[in-house]
Amino acid sequence: MEICSSCILSSSFPNISFDENKVCNFCRSYSSEQNKNFKSKQKKVIEETIKKCKGKYEYDALCCYSGGKDSTYMLKVLKKDYHLKILAFTLDNGFIPDKAKKNIDCATSCLNVDHIYFRPAPEALKSLFRSAILGKMLQNDTTKTRISDVCLACITLINTLAARMALQKKIPMVFAGFTAGQIPRAVIKNNYKFYKETLKKLKKNNDDLLCQEAMQYFEITEDDFEVYQISPNMVDEKTESEILNDIRKIGWVYPEGL
């Protein structure tokens, strides 16, 4: 097995190749100057989108909130720096530890943010994760470089439920904690057609594994209201220690032992 001499990715990683110096193609394509320019442009687009959408509806933004350090920091920035009216949304997939729930409750209370938990029916979740393990989900050679099937199943459910809620409540922006490499750009404009296509792919790849009770969570009503999916963590320059110090001020506690 070959190992990249720069980033230590192995030859088992999808779509990887090595040059004569054993440097992988992912490292060769990276340029610090290009990355800096990319982040600068993406940050400008984020700020322009927020300015365009802010103050037009009951909520400015729906924030996908797991209770982890990155999503807590994102929630704090949206509230304290951008002064948005936020609805925080947490998918309870059955794996959220009590320590994380305490952080969720503490942060949303401290920031004075409206918050919703949503827990799908247990059999639907079992069907979804079984399909992720045994089926194909939405995977192809490109997505395999970014995410596993099980993670993809969960994040696809979160994204679709968030979009449904945004359409129902007319919330123009959905914020998620994606970072560079997980998503191509920081602001993506979506409407119901994108999610209809996602459902079509799910049915094609997993029709014999996904129960109808699970499939119903991916159904979405036709609505031309446009929703911007925004990932501010893609462009943030703060270090992990800076983020931790920042969110401790609103009561977030590092979940030791998890």
Side-chain angles (χ1 to χ4, degrees):
M1 181 180 292
E2 287 188 89
I3 301 291
C4 177
S5 59
S6 176
C7 72
I8 71 169
L9 279 178
S10 74
S11 54
S12 63
F13 194 78
N15 301 322
I16 197 169
S17 62
F18 302 90
D19 65 11
E20 64 275 8
N21 297 314
K22 295 188 176 180
V23 177
C24 76
N25 52 307
F26 298 105
C27 288
R28 294 197 305 272
S29 65
Y30 176 82
S31 163
S32 59
E33 188 60 33
Q34 287 178 339
N35 186 50
K36 184 178 179 180
N37 292 336
F38 174 79
K39 284 187 174 183
S40 177
K41 291 178 181 177
Q42 294 299 298
K43 187 172 183 178
K44 183 178 179 182
V45 174
I46 290 174
E47 291 174 348
E48 289 174 347
T49 304
I50 290 174
K51 184 178 180 181
K52 178 172 64 175
C53 296
K54 185 177 178 181
K56 292 186 176 181
Y57 302 92
E58 179 185 2
Y59 290 105
D60 299 313
L62 187 148
C63 181
C64 298
Y65 184 40
S66 71
K69 63 178 178 62
D70 293 330
S71 63
T72 301
Y73 174 69
M74 176 175 65
L75 185 68
K76 182 177 182 290
V77 168
L78 297 180
K79 178 70 175 185
K80 295 294 187 180
D81 294 356
Y82 290 105
H83 308 288
L84 299 179
K85 181 68 183 296
I86 304 162
L87 175 61
F89 159 64
T90 302
L91 172 70
D92 186 351
N93 60 7
F95 297 101
I96 303 179
D98 289 339
K99 291 180 180 179
K101 289 183 178 179
K102 286 182 179 179
N103 278 332
I104 290 171
D105 294 342
C106 183
T108 52
S109 295
C110 183
L111 294 171
N112 196 32
V113 168
D114 294 347
H115 176 250
I116 292 176
Y117 275 109
F118 182 81
R119 185 172 188 177
E123 286 303 317
L125 285 174
K126 287 181 184 178
S127 174
L128 179 65
F129 293 131
R130 181 170 60 248
S131 183
I133 294 169
L134 301 176
K136 298 180 180 179
M137 292 308 292
L138 301 171
Q139 287 285 36
N140 55 48
D141 287 342
T142 301
T143 54
K144 285 178 182 177
T145 65
R146 300 183 289 109
I147 193 169
S148 70
D149 276 305
V150 175
C151 289
L152 184 63
C154 203
I155 197 62
T156 301
L157 181 59
I158 292 170
N159 286 342
T160 307
L161 291 173
R164 279 171 46 165
M165 200 176 303
L167 290 174
Q168 290 166 359
K169 295 182 177 294
K170 301 302 180 189
I171 304 174
M173 296 181 288
V174 173
F175 285 83
F178 295 112
T179 56
Q182 294 180 314
I183 200 165
R185 55 189 184 277
V187 178
I188 298 175
K189 184 166 66 173
N190 284 331
N191 59 25
Y192 76 91
K193 295 176 184 177
F194 170 82
Y195 299 99
K196 286 283 188 182
E197 186 62 28
T198 298
L199 177 62
K200 183 179 177 182
K201 292 178 182 177
L202 269 175
K203 286 181 175 178
K204 179 182 178 182
N205 292 345
N206 306 276
D207 194 44
D208 57 334
L209 293 170
L210 265 177
C211 69
Q212 184 54 41
E213 193 170 17
M215 196 68 79
Q216 69 177 337
Y217 293 112
F218 298 94
E219 295 281 0
I220 199 159
T221 303
E222 293 189 8
D223 190 325
D224 289 326
F225 184 78
E226 291 181 329
V227 176
Y228 293 89
Q229 180 181 299
I230 305 176
S231 305
N233 290 349
M234 276 189 70
V235 301
D236 197 271
E237 300 289 348
K238 283 202 173 184
T239 64
E240 182 174 346
S241 61
E242 288 173 329
I243 289 173
L244 290 173
N245 289 334
D246 207 359
I247 61 178
R248 286 188 180 112
K249 297 174 184 176
I250 58 171
W252 192 89
V253 178
Y254 196 92
E256 298 288 350
L258 293 181

